[in-house]
Amino acid sequence: RQLRAKGMFKGGLESISGVGPSTRRALLRKFRTIENIKNATLEDLEQTTGVTKPTAKQIYNHFKNK
């Protein structure tokens, strides 16, 4: 059960280029869930510590274009 839960958190973020382990941790620390990251505004993503503006834009576009 724990392995499945960990995989569910990472699944949506691992496929985005430029998003490494530290960026994933920072995003999950701030937003708590993938669903919250999907619903975040570009400005919210940019304000996350450890996330650059280009990376925030990639994350935002990744989830908005799905």
Side-chain angles (χ1 to χ4, degrees), residues 19 27 31 36-38 45 61 65:
V19 178
L27 288 165
F31 295 103
N36 288 341
I37 296 169
K38 287 179 184 179
L45 293 169
N61 289 335
N65 293 331

Side-chain angles (χ1 to χ4, degrees), residues 39-54:
N39 295 327
T41 65
L42 181 57
E43 292 77 24
D44 289 338
L45 293 169
E46 289 175 349
Q47 291 173 359
T48 303
T49 304
V51 179
T52 63
K53 286 188 179 194

Side-chain angles (χ1 to χ4, degrees), residues 2-4 6 12 15-16 27 31 33 43 54 56 60 64:
Q2 259 186 338
L3 290 175
R4 184 178 64 217
K6 283 183 184 179
S15 62
I16 305 170
L27 288 165
F31 295 103
T33 66
E43 292 77 24
Y60 181 80
K64 297 305 173 198

Side-chain angles (χ1 to χ4, degrees), residues 16-35:
I16 305 170
S17 72
V19 178
S22 60
T23 304
R24 285 194 300 267
R25 274 193 301 273
L27 288 165
L28 289 171
R29 219 176 275 130
K30 179 174 181 176
F31 295 103
R32 300 282 186 212
T33 66
I34 294 292
E35 195 61 36

